[in-house]
C-alpha cells in the first residue's frame, strides 16, 4: 500500500436513516486528471459508532490532542516502536475520563501490549480495547455478544472475528486470556493481570 499520486474532491451531507438516526454521507469525485466530467466514484456513510472509531483512529495515528493545535510530528512508520508510538500518551487521559479501570489502563499501556498491538494492528484503538476490557471485569469476566458489539461499534455478526484479532494482542504464548464461546466473550482477569505484571486488587 502506498500514497495515492493524485487527490480527489469529497463532498458530504448529513442525512437520516429509516430509524431517524443521523448519518454522514461522503462522496468522492475522482481526480482532477480524470478525462470525463466529474461524477461520484465512491460513497460511504458513517453512523455514530463508526464516527467514534474514526475519531479515535485519527487521534491515535496523528498524535492529536482534541481542541488543541499541535505542531508535533508523529514518528514515521519506519521508526515507530512500542516506546515511540503516540497511541498511549493520547489514549489514556481520554480512557480515564470514561471510567476505565486503572489496572486496565496499565495493561493497555504496557510495552508488551503495545508491541503486540503494533504487530497485529487491530482496527480498534487502545481506548476502545480498554473500554471493552473494563466492561468485562465489571461483569465477572463475561460479556454477551450484543454488548461487545455495542462497545466496539460493530455488528453482532462480526464479534467473533473481532475477538479473534484482539485475542492475538491480549493472549500470551500458550495463555488464553480472552476468548469467545459463540454467545459471549470471556476474559480471564487474573491471568491477564499476571501476564502484563499488573497487581490484582486485594
Amino acid at each position: 500500500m502506498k500514497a495515492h499520486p493524485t487527490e480527489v474532491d469529497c463532498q458530504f451531507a448529513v442525512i437520516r436513516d429509516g430509524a431517524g438516526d443521523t448519518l454522514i454521507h461522503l462522496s468522492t469525485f475522482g481526480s482532477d486528471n480524470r478525462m470525463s466530467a466529474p461524477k461520484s466514484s465512491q460513497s460511504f456513510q458513517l453512523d455514530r459508532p463508526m464516527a467514534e472509531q474514526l475519531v479515535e483512529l485519527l487521534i491515535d495515528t496523528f498524535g492529536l490532542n482534541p481542541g488543541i493545535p499541535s505542531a508535533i510530528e508523529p514518528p514515521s512508520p519506519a521508526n515507530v516502536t512500542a516506546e515511540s508510538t503516540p497511541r498511549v500518551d493520547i489514549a489514556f487521559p481520554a480512557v480515564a475520563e470514561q471510567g476505565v479501570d486503572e489496572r486496565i489502563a496499565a495493561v493497555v499501556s504496557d510495552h508488551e501490549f503495545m508491541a503486540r498491538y503494533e504487530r497485529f494492528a487491530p482496527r480498534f484503538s487502545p481506548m476502545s480495547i480498554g473500554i471493552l476490557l473494563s466492561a468485562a471485569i465489571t461483569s465477572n469476566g463475561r460479556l454477551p455478544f450484543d454488548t461487545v458489539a455495542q462497545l466496539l461499534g460493530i455488528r453482532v455478526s462480526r464479534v467473533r472475528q473481532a475477538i479473534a484479532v484482539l485475542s492475538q494482542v491480549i493472549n500470551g504464548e500458550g495463555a488464553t486470556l480472552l476468548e469467545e464461546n459463540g454467545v459471549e466473550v470471556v476474559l480471564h482477569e487474573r491471568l491477564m493481570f499476571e501476564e502484563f505484571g499488573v497487581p490484582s486488587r486485594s
Side-chain angles (χ1 to χ4, degrees):
M1 187 179 300
K2 59 183 179 181
H4 292 168
T6 60
E7 296 182 354
V8 300
D9 293 325
C10 181
Q11 297 181 4
F12 76 92
V14 178
I15 63 174
R16 302 276 182 178
D17 64 12
D21 295 326
T22 301
L23 300 174
I24 294 180
H25 180 96
L26 299 167
S27 296
T28 60
F29 287 83
S31 70
D32 292 336
N33 297 331
R34 190 168 184 162
M35 299 299 295
S36 60
K39 63 180 180 179
S40 178
S41 56
Q42 292 184 355
S43 66
F44 60 96
Q45 298 175 345
L46 298 174
D47 60 9
R48 184 182 181 92
M50 288 187 288
E52 290 174 346
Q53 290 190 41
L54 178 59
V55 169
E56 291 173 3
L57 175 62
L58 294 173
I59 290 172
D60 291 343
T61 300
F62 295 106
L64 303 177
N65 193 342
I68 303 177
S70 174
I72 300 175
E73 286 289 330
S76 63
N79 296 325
V80 171
T81 65
E83 290 76 14
S84 67
T85 178
R87 285 188 174 97
V88 174
D89 293 338
I90 297 301
F92 291 103
V95 165
E97 290 174 5
Q98 297 194 37
V100 169
D101 189 285
E102 62 183 9
R103 297 168 299 166
I104 295 298
V107 168
V108 294
S109 62
D110 180 81
H111 286 169
E112 176 60 28
F113 177 94
M114 290 306 300
R116 298 178 194 173
Y117 184 88
E118 294 294 336
R119 177 183 177 187
F120 296 108
R123 59 169 290 195
F124 308 104
S125 71
M127 181 189 299
S128 294
I129 298 172
I131 291 170
L132 175 67
L133 297 178
S134 293
I137 66 173
T138 58
S139 300
N140 296 318
R142 294 179 178 271
L143 291 173
F145 273 18
D146 57 348
T147 300
V148 174
Q150 183 178 10
L151 290 169
L152 295 179
I154 60 176
R155 297 183 180 91
V156 173
S157 60
R158 298 191 60 188
V159 168
R160 299 189 75 170
Q161 179 183 2
I163 296 304
V165 175
L166 293 182
S167 65
Q168 292 179 304
V169 178
I170 297 168
N171 294 347
E173 292 290 338
T176 301
L177 312 177
L178 182 71
E179 59 183 339
E180 52 85 15
N181 59 20
V183 294
E184 59 185 0
V185 171
V186 180
L187 175 68
H188 301 281
E189 175 184 341
R190 182 181 59 81
L191 294 177
M192 179 186 65
F193 290 140
E194 289 179 358
E195 171 75 13
F196 293 100
V198 175
S200 294
R201 190 171 289 161
S202 56

